[in-house]
Amino acid sequence: MTPPPETAPEPFTGIEESPEFRQLRSSFRNFAFPVTAGFVLWYLLYVLLSCYAPGLMGTKVAGNINLALVLGLLQFASTFAIAARYARHAGRRLDPAAAAIRGRAAAAAAAAAVEESAE
């Protein structure tokens, strides 16, 4: 098995340094990092309340349904909401930009292959 190359091939280095790719990464990071941080904080709040405020979490909401159950189910609901929001964000902002970059990279690779075969 051969080790991976030390540096990326030249066409990929050019892609990484392009303003379009930087904008794509920025758009992803601007979505992913705040949402991830918010969800982790929301989850930790649930865990901390479960550990240190059992009286509050045991508060009856309706019948045998307590606050802990409601907040636990909201964890699932927020997970699905985040996934749907990300799919929408990716469909509108990330996927079109990635497809354009991928198309330019394929064209550059094809041109490099033609040039290499001509030599």
Side-chain angles (χ1 to χ4, degrees):
M1 181 190 254
T2 61
E6 293 288 323
T7 60
E10 191 62 35
F12 296 111
T13 304
I15 292 169
E16 282 182 350
E17 295 171 355
S18 71
E20 295 86 8
F21 186 77
R22 287 184 181 162
Q23 177 60 36
L24 177 64
R25 286 179 54 182
S26 175
S27 182
F28 172 76
R29 287 178 180 162
N30 288 341
F31 178 87
F33 289 162
V35 171
T36 301
F39 184 79
V40 168
L41 289 173
W42 158 234
Y43 176 74
L44 289 175
L45 175 67
Y46 176 76
V47 171
L48 291 173
L49 285 174
S50 295
C51 291
Y52 297 109
L56 174 67
M57 295 297 270
T59 303
K60 300 283 184 187
V61 175
N64 288 331
I65 299 173
N66 62 16
L67 185 60
L69 179 61
V70 171
L71 292 179
L73 292 173
L74 285 174
Q75 289 284 320
F76 287 102
S78 63
T79 300
F80 291 117
I82 289 169
R85 189 170 160 210
Y86 176 76
R88 184 176 173 201
H89 173 75
R92 288 184 175 182
R93 295 207 177 124
L94 303 179
D95 294 344
I101 292 169
R102 193 177 309 114
R104 283 194 298 278
V114 168
E115 185 177 298
E116 205 172 276
S117 66
E119 292 178 357

